[in-house]
Amino acid sequence: MNVTIDVKEKDGIFYVKLTGEIDAYTAPKVKERLMDLADGDGVTINIDLSGVKYMDSTGLGVFVGLFKQLSARSGNMKLTGMSERLQRLFDITGLADVMDINTEVEGGV
C-alpha cells in the first residue's frame, strides 16, 4: 500500500490529509514531507488521519518526532479524524495524553 500526502495552507496553518498506510515502507516519505513543513518557528500543522487505514510503530515515531520538533520551536500539531483503531494506538502508548487529538476532521484539505 502507498500513502498520499495532500497539503494546503490557509491563514498560516498547514492542513495535511494523509491517505493510505503509514508503515516502515511509507513512513520515510511522510516524515520527510512533514518535517519540511515544520521547519520554522511557530508553525502550526493540522493533520487529518481519517484516510489512514493502518499505522505501525514506525508511523507513530514520525508523529513523535514531528511533535518534538514543533514543540522545540513553539509550534503546534493537531491530529484529527482518527479511527477508533488509531486512537487506541495513541491511547496505549500514552501519546494521547501529550498530543492534541480530535476525532473530528477540521478545516483545510
Side-chain angles (χ1 to χ4, degrees):
M1 182 76 182
N2 211 350
V3 66
T4 58
I5 306 165
D6 295 315
V7 179
K8 301 223 187 307
E9 183 180 2
K10 181 179 179 185
D11 299 326
I13 298 173
F14 291 105
Y15 293 90
V16 179
K17 178 161 178 64
L18 299 173
T19 307
E21 296 181 357
I22 306 174
D23 56 20
Y25 176 73
T26 60
K29 176 181 174 182
V30 174
K31 180 179 180 179
E32 180 180 358
R33 185 67 174 113
L34 293 177
M35 291 301 192
D36 284 348
L37 295 176
D39 189 26
D41 293 331
V43 173
T44 298
I45 303 175
N46 287 355
I47 303 170
D48 176 1
L49 297 172
S50 61
V52 175
K53 304 302 177 211
Y54 173 81
M55 184 186 311
D56 67 9
S57 61
T58 313
L60 285 173
V62 168
F63 294 107
V64 170
L66 180 64
F67 178 78
K68 286 181 178 180
Q69 180 169 328
L70 288 168
S71 295
R73 299 182 79 174
S74 301
N76 295 299
M77 174 181 78
K78 181 177 235 176
L79 302 174
T80 64
M82 270 191 210
S83 67
E84 190 175 307
R85 184 177 188 176
L86 288 182
Q87 178 69 48
R88 197 166 73 213
L89 275 177
F90 280 82
D91 288 341
I92 289 169
T93 58
L95 294 173
D97 295 333
V98 295
M99 293 182 179
D100 187 359
I101 297 173
N102 185 343
T103 55
E104 300 297 316
V105 176
E106 298 177 4
V109 182

